[in-house]
Amino acid sequence: MMDYSFDRQIELEQLQRLLRQTGWADQRSIEGIEKMLEGTPLTLGAWEGDRLVGFVRVLTDGIYRALIDDVVVEESKRGTGIGSELMQRVVERLAGVEEVFLRCGEHVVPFYERHNFERSNGVIMDLNKD
């Protein structure tokens, strides 16, 4: 049975193990992950027993903007509905927020479209740090 919680503490090593299974967050250090969690007002984890198998975090002011980020499910559990459950619970929690957005790769657009996200007409700007 899967346990989903906004309140259960996320263990750094377990989250790092999940993030290492991605192509976009696989180089994050324990120290960086710890700082990330400290600055993140909303996290949701999915556990199978004591094992973290899914995670999502949200940067938000709670009223005007919310950025859903770092949606990740353990490789062996992908396609089992964990990601959909994480998204459903996060979207419900953010119901009162004016604008909820995320950034994703082209290959996962259909997943987010199933959760009522749509392509934005806005332009995404990235800070050039060179």
Side-chain angles (χ1 to χ4, degrees):
M1 183 166 140
M2 205 61 56
D3 176 35
Y4 295 87
S5 177
F6 287 100
D7 301 316
R8 187 169 169 179
Q9 183 174 345
I10 305 288
E11 293 182 24
L12 300 175
E13 293 80 10
Q14 288 202 39
L15 181 52
Q16 185 183 47
R17 179 186 53 78
L18 280 182
L19 293 172
R20 284 187 173 160
Q21 297 175 32
T22 71
W24 40 266
D26 56 336
Q27 299 298 312
R28 292 185 186 172
S29 68
I30 289 291
E31 297 78 20
I33 292 168
E34 181 176 33
K35 190 170 183 177
M36 172 193 79
L37 289 175
E38 288 170 1
T40 300
L42 183 63
T43 61
L44 174 60
W47 285 266
E48 192 172 63
D50 290 333
R51 185 176 178 87
L52 183 68
V53 296
F55 174 81
V56 60
R57 70 186 186 112
V58 181
L59 301 174
T60 186
D61 57 25
I63 187 75
Y64 297 114
R65 301 289 180 269
L67 167 66
I68 297 174
D69 203 12
D70 293 335
V71 180
V72 61
V73 174
E74 183 177 293
E75 284 176 329
S76 67
K77 301 293 181 185
R78 292 179 190 163
T80 65
I82 294 170
S84 290
E85 186 69 24
L86 289 169
M87 288 302 299
Q88 180 182 339
R89 289 173 185 243
V90 162
V91 167
E92 286 174 7
R93 179 64 79 91
L94 300 172
V97 177
E98 184 178 278
E99 182 181 21
V100 178
F101 57 99
L102 55 82
R103 189 172 174 183
C104 67
E106 192 68 36
H107 65 289
V108 291
V109 166
F111 170 78
Y112 291 113
E113 286 177 336
R114 288 194 300 273
H115 296 281
N116 294 325
F117 284 85
E118 58 189 18
R119 291 177 189 267
S120 170
N121 291 330
V123 174
I124 295 174
M125 302 290 293
D126 290 324
L127 178 63
N128 184 350
K129 292 190 173 189
D130 292 336

